[in-house]
Amino acid sequence: MKGKDQPPSGRRVSLRDARRKEGQDDRREDDRREDNRHDRHGRRNKREKRPNRNTLNPLLWKDVMAVFGATPGQAFNANQLSKLLDWDEPRAFGEITEVLKVAAKKGLLDDLDKGNYTQPVGRAEELPPRKRKRDADGKRGKGGIIGRIEITRHGKGYVVVPGQENDITIGKGHTSTAFWGDTVEVRYESRGRKKYAYVSEIVKRAQDLYVVKLQGVKDYAFGIPGNRHIHRDFLIPARHLNGGKDGLKAAVRLVDWAHSDDPPIAEVVKIFGEPGLNEAEMHAILVEFGLPYGYPEEVAASAEEISGEIDAKEIAKRRDFRDITTLTIDPEDAKDFDDALSLRKLENGHFEVGVHIADVTHYVIPGSDIEAEAKKRATSVYLVDRTIPMLPERLSNDLCSLRPNVDRLAFSAVFEMDEQGEVHDQWFGRTVIHSDRRFTYAEAQERLKSGKGDFAEQVQTLDGISKALRAKRFKGGSIDFNSEEVRFVLDEQARPVEVVIKRMVDANQLIEEFMLLANVYVAQRIGKGKGGKPQGGVYRVHDKPDPEKLSTLRSFVAQFGYKMAKVEPGKAAQALNSLLASVRGKKEERIVAMMAIRSMAKAEYTTTNIGHYGLAFDHYTHFTSPIRRYPDMMVHRLLQHYLDGGDSVDTSTLDGDCAHSSEREKRAASAERASIKYKQVEFLSTHLGEEFSGTVNGISSKSLFVEVDGNRCEGFVDTSTIPGDLWRLERERMCLVGQRTGREIHMGTAVRVRAVRADLERRELEFEWLGT
């Protein structure tokens, strides 16, 4: 942490001030951090002190010095600087003049007379570096606290420390050169009887690249972050613009940021194009979440060299299912077919059901460049208009894809079952299959409905067994979240012309149940060695719900007249299923289901098996999608290792890959949501001025969030614009209360709104309140 010798306070109209009214993406998170900040015991953290406003503005100081730093040797006066920095207040000239005088006195600038100042070439480099704050004994202490920092748009920080209940609050000006999401080291310094936390070191950056909009200023530019979590603008000298022009959207890399009172210096590494255009925005989303948008040429070339021929020797090593009826059922637009089902009736009246999964690890060899890239990506990424595959397309869409009417290599879990879904025997191993038919979900659903068409008997038989499996699963405590997906019909320019809500039907559930079945039995096989002795494995786990979140859910649903019994977190499944069943088909179903999901923990990959609470399985893993998930490849290799009689593996060699895969999965999910949000905004941008019915699905002190009925587009209403009262947030009841009338607006309230603004760059919709 550094000393405070920069001039503080005063107000300016900065670039960030000028767009503050627009900058309302991530509004939920900012409102939560700024207005509703509590530690995890519910106590409110102390608000930071108001700065002294009788001295100069530190932000103005930084920007003025940034201009000189970017253009050494060039002279500026106060009038020129006020125009460059968009200062439009009457006192602008005087405040900038004072900054210039102070900087000259400190020796940072040369006074050229007549109000002109310059920073000679090399002057900045000659200044001594600031000293880092030291512990009381004058030496840098050991044992700083490591955590991940979140920084509000006003510069206040909160460090989330694994295993620690309360976040560490970092005052404004003490977050050093950290950005949101960075892993940082935190230390404390004493001031009188109090201790204050500060960021002492950036351990690891959360992002390599940052998405910005270029704002040119003569021979340099500012990079204005699109992600509002990034609380500082970037300064991009002319030598680092690399063809970037004013107004374009680009990706920049942080080049230097020595001290927090200096601007972060960046260079342009990729120009996306005009903001608001589909290609520019989709590429920007991928970069924003640290995801790839292309495939390395050398890796793709390696994949092209892989032979597609299956020789007789390889077939001889495998169990042959090519003469057994085999089907795939997938979405209409699917290209990578991970899984297939085979079915035949046995002489004893039972059925043999084969769950056949693409044998990716036959083609992807450990140590290869394809393996390294797959591990790095860890997952395929699904945006609205494109898929960014984990594997090169030669593998994902061709050799590994279980396409119809061609022989394919598979890794299979084969079950002997009866019509009641009871498993009488199981077998695991490598196979060769030949898919007879590729069904879409709609086509399979038609077979179930009509009983007519090719392979209708097989589809109906599989459906009957899957329904028995599903009934047993829910009886065992699995939680029934009736999920749905937002899909878009796009025109040739990838513009949304229709929003479609996809709901699970029997054909979806058929596939789901057999995939779950395979995942459970594979998890049991890799987890239990000879004599039932535990052995190292990779699991997909889901912890028990947080008791405080269950309590919040119970209070919330009481507003709708539903009673949810107080239960222990490990025994909440029955109460949750009862609640979800009671709201099914009612207007509050979506909002209650959303809050119930929020009460649950997040699933993750780990080598420590704690079971999967949501599915009510003691053993669960991911085996069925190796084309798009790296953990499934890990599980395939583990399963083969144990089938070959191998000893228990050292899980320490797997822990890092599990953690990395979990983190990449979260990024991919965030990017998918961002692309959906972008298309929703784009869709409603053609309906500005129109009125809609909607439902309140989020509340903060500053914003009311409304989901439009029918198309699921979400926007916000500024609470200060809701007429008839002044509104305050009641956190416990999650509602707004009118201070004069006592009128209340709750989550789930049906409302009328008008679409008034659609900001494609920020993926944000603004509504006008029309009433309830």
Side-chain angles (χ1 to χ4, degrees):
M1 195 175 87
K2 25 198 320 295
K4 290 183 173 292
D5 60 354
Q6 71 269 28
S9 190
R11 187 182 187 280
R12 64 151 194 164
V13 180
S14 66
L15 297 174
R16 190 171 292 277
D17 292 329
R19 65 177 192 278
R20 182 152 295 165
K21 286 297 289 181
E22 299 176 3
Q24 301 183 51
D25 61 319
D26 301 311
R27 181 177 292 269
R28 289 177 187 270
E29 188 65 34
D30 283 337
D31 288 351
R32 181 177 70 86
R33 285 297 196 189
E34 293 292 331
D35 301 310
N36 307 323
R37 179 66 190 174
H38 280 59
D39 64 24
R40 291 177 188 158
H41 289 306
R43 298 184 295 269
R44 189 171 180 85
N45 290 323
K46 294 180 180 179
R47 296 185 70 86
E48 57 189 305
K49 294 181 179 179
R50 187 179 297 277
N52 179 0
R53 304 189 71 83
N54 296 320
T55 52
L56 292 178
N57 187 328
L59 296 177
L60 176 61
W61 172 276
K62 294 171 191 175
D63 282 356
V64 168
M65 297 310 296
V67 172
F68 284 105
T71 57
Q74 186 169 340
F76 295 95
N77 59 37
N79 187 50
Q80 291 169 325
L81 289 166
S82 67
K83 292 178 180 178
L84 288 174
L85 297 174
D86 296 325
W87 181 278
D88 58 6
E89 290 191 349
R91 61 189 180 198
F93 185 87
E95 291 202 15
I96 294 177
T97 298
E98 191 62 28
V99 168
L100 295 172
K101 288 179 179 179
V102 172
K105 286 181 181 180
K106 288 177 173 287
L108 301 176
L109 299 177
D110 282 348
D111 187 344
L112 301 180
D113 202 9
K114 296 184 179 180
N116 292 304
Y117 295 81
T118 186
Q119 177 182 286
V121 177
R123 173 65 57 83
E125 286 73 11
E126 293 169 4
L127 296 176
R130 302 295 186 92
K131 292 183 178 180
R132 187 190 297 268
K133 284 281 186 180
R134 296 180 181 274
D135 294 334
D137 63 359
K139 298 178 181 179
R140 286 197 64 191
K142 295 182 179 180
I145 301 170
I146 305 298
R148 185 179 62 84
I149 194 167
E150 298 177 359
I151 305 175
T152 71
R153 64 180 181 269
H154 299 307
K156 195 172 183 179
Y158 301 93
V159 178
V160 182
V161 181
Q164 183 170 306
E165 271 198 283
N166 297 339
D167 298 348
I168 300 173
T169 302
I170 309 291
K172 181 179 179 180
H174 301 290
T175 57
S176 185
T177 60
F179 281 130
W180 177 291
D182 289 350
T183 302
V184 300
E185 179 190 72
V186 176
R187 296 177 183 273
Y188 290 87
E189 67 171 354
S190 297
R191 297 180 190 172
R193 296 181 179 180
K194 293 184 178 181
K195 283 189 174 182
Y196 294 85
Y198 67 95
V199 173
S200 58
E201 186 177 345
I202 312 302
V203 178
K204 184 181 179 182
R205 293 284 181 194
Q207 293 180 233
D208 295 324
L209 301 177
Y210 303 86
V211 177
V212 302
K213 182 178 179 180
L214 300 176
Q215 197 164 82
V217 184
K218 289 195 173 179
D219 295 330
Y220 63 98
F222 288 109
I224 313 302
N227 181 351
R228 204 156 173 251
H229 284 155
I230 306 302
H231 64 293
R232 295 290 299 272
D233 296 344
F234 295 89
L235 178 67
I236 308 169
R239 65 184 182 277
H240 290 327
L241 278 172
N242 298 326
K245 303 294 184 184
D246 180 60
L248 295 182
K249 202 156 196 172
V252 300
R253 178 181 289 114
L254 185 64
V255 173
D256 183 43
W257 194 9
H259 304 295
S260 60
D261 59 348
D262 300 329
I265 307 299
E267 66 172 337
V268 174
V269 297
K270 177 71 176 178
I271 299 170
F272 298 130
E274 293 289 340
L277 297 180
N278 185 75
E279 282 301 301
E281 296 301 333
M282 290 299 169
H283 282 166
I285 286 171
L286 293 169
V287 170
E288 177 182 336
F289 294 101
L291 299 168
Y293 53 85
Y295 220 94
E297 292 182 4
E298 62 276 13
V299 179
S302 296
E304 292 297 329
E305 295 174 359
I306 298 175
S307 172
E309 297 296 323
I310 303 176
D311 62 34
K313 291 182 179 179
E314 184 60 40
I315 292 176
K317 299 176 187 176
R318 297 171 175 260
R319 184 170 169 180
D320 196 337
F321 277 79
R322 288 178 294 178
D323 292 333
I324 299 174
T325 300
T326 303
L327 314 169
T328 64
I329 305 176
D330 290 280
E332 185 176 359
D333 57 354
K335 295 180 180 177
D336 52 343
F337 307 139
D338 274 300
D339 55 85
L341 296 177
S342 66
L343 178 72
R344 66 167 174 161
K345 192 164 186 178
L346 303 176
E347 292 181 358
N348 61 4
H350 292 165
F351 293 94
E352 179 191 78
V353 179
V355 181
H356 306 287
I357 308 302
D359 193 358
V360 172
T361 55
H362 171 79
Y363 295 102
V364 181
I365 309 301
S368 66
D369 55 356
I370 299 175
E371 162 77 12
E373 186 67 21
K375 181 185 292 190
K376 178 182 176 182
R377 293 177 177 229
T379 181
S380 294
V381 182
Y382 297 91
L383 303 187
V384 169
D385 67 336
R386 71 197 66 200
T387 298
I388 297 85
M390 182 183 76
L391 297 173
E393 289 193 7
R394 166 71 169 158
L395 293 175
S396 62
N397 293 356
D398 186 4
L399 298 185
C400 295
S401 185
L402 305 182
R403 298 188 299 178
N405 304 315
V406 292
D407 293 350
R408 283 290 183 257
L409 302 180
F411 208 149
S412 305
V414 183
F415 303 96
E416 181 183 335
M417 309 180 71
D418 59 32
E419 292 181 345
Q420 288 71 47
E422 293 293 332
V423 175
H424 296 273
D425 198 7
Q426 67 270 341
W427 176 90
F428 306 98
R430 285 189 145 103
T431 59
V432 57
I433 69 169
H434 186 100
S435 174
D436 297 289
R437 176 70 151 85
R438 185 257 160 142
F439 282 100
T440 66
Y441 283 122
E443 290 171 337
Q445 187 67 23
E446 178 59 31
R447 299 300 186 278
L448 295 177
K449 184 178 179 180
S450 68
K452 298 178 181 179
D454 56 338
F455 301 103
E457 181 182 353
Q458 289 88 341
V459 173
Q460 290 191 323
T461 299
L462 290 168
D463 182 59
I465 297 173
S466 75
K467 281 182 167 61
L469 290 170
R470 188 174 179 84
K472 285 199 302 179
R473 179 161 63 84
F474 288 132
K475 186 177 180 180
S478 184
I479 300 173
D480 185 11
F481 290 111
N482 189 20
S483 61
E484 59 183 32
E485 295 181 358
V486 176
R487 296 289 182 91
F488 297 87
V489 178
L490 305 178
D491 65 15
E492 294 180 354
Q493 284 73 45
R495 291 185 298 248
V497 295
E498 184 182 358
V499 181
V500 179
I501 308 302
K502 293 283 188 179
R503 295 177 175 85
M504 291 275 282
V505 294
D506 288 348
N508 299 88
Q509 294 169 356
L510 183 163
I511 293 298
E512 179 184 49
E513 292 305 323
F514 284 110
M515 297 306 110
L516 292 175
L517 179 72
N519 287 335
V520 168
Y521 275 84
V522 168
Q524 292 174 354
R525 179 63 182 85
I526 65 174
K528 296 179 182 179
K530 296 175 182 178
K533 184 178 180 181
Q535 56 190 13
V538 169
Y539 302 95
R540 178 70 169 180
V541 302
H542 183 229
D543 208 349
K544 301 178 181 67
D546 184 296
E548 289 186 15
K549 291 182 178 180
L550 286 175
S551 178
T552 299
L553 175 64
R554 188 166 54 252
S555 299
F556 173 73
V557 300
Q559 299 177 62
F560 298 96
Y562 297 103
K563 291 184 179 180
M564 180 179 168
K566 187 174 182 179
V567 294
E568 296 296 323
K571 301 177 181 179
Q574 183 176 353
L576 286 169
N577 273 331
S578 177
L579 172 65
L580 294 169
S582 64
V583 301
R584 190 149 295 143
K586 299 180 181 178
K587 63 180 182 179
E588 60 267 20
E589 177 183 2
R590 275 185 52 75
I591 195 71
V592 170
M594 180 186 75
M595 294 301 294
I597 290 171
R598 289 181 183 178
S599 73
M600 305 295 288
K602 301 295 184 184
E604 62 182 1
Y605 298 106
T606 179
T607 59
T608 302
N609 182 33
I610 62 170
H612 196 293
Y613 184 82
L615 294 172
F617 293 141
D618 293 331
H619 290 77
Y620 189 69
T621 192
H622 273 172
F623 167 77
T624 54
S625 295
I627 289 178
R628 61 185 179 91
R629 294 188 305 226
Y630 187 75
D632 299 55
M633 291 175 58
M634 297 168 66
V635 169
H636 279 219
R637 288 171 177 153
L638 282 169
L639 178 58
Q640 189 60 57
H641 172 76
Y642 291 134
L643 290 175
D644 292 339
D647 295 330
S648 179
V649 301
D650 179 4
T651 56
S652 66
T653 63
L654 306 172
D655 289 333
D657 291 337
C658 286
H660 173 71
S661 295
S662 295
E663 191 270 338
R664 299 296 288 187
E665 177 191 28
K666 291 175 185 176
R667 291 195 187 200
S670 296
E672 181 180 4
R673 286 193 296 271
S675 75
I676 291 172
K677 182 66 176 178
Y678 171 77
K679 289 300 177 186
Q680 288 176 328
V681 174
E682 188 177 21
F683 177 73
L684 273 199
S685 69
T686 61
H687 297 274
L688 294 181
E690 295 182 21
E691 298 181 9
F692 298 94
S693 296
T695 303
V696 175
N697 73 346
I699 299 176
S700 75
S701 63
K702 298 178 182 179
S703 304
L704 196 70
F705 299 91
V706 176
E707 183 183 80
V708 175
D709 297 340
N711 60 36
R712 304 288 187 253
C713 295
E714 182 191 88
F716 75 92
V717 176
D718 188 329
T719 56
S720 67
T721 67
I722 301 177
D725 216 328
L726 296 175
W727 303 90
R728 75 174 188 274
L729 174 68
E730 284 202 6
R731 181 192 315 280
E732 297 300 322
R733 298 193 300 134
M734 286 183 283
C735 68
L736 289 180
V737 179
Q739 296 187 40
R740 291 195 297 267
T741 64
R743 178 184 166 205
E744 296 182 353
I745 302 174
H746 293 263
M747 295 270 282
T749 298
V751 299
R752 290 286 294 175
V753 294
R754 178 184 291 114
V756 295
R757 184 173 66 87
D759 190 331
L760 286 169
E761 289 184 59
R762 296 187 177 280
R763 303 189 288 273
E764 180 177 85
L765 287 168
E766 184 172 3
F767 294 143
E768 176 188 354
W769 179 267
L770 298 179
T772 57

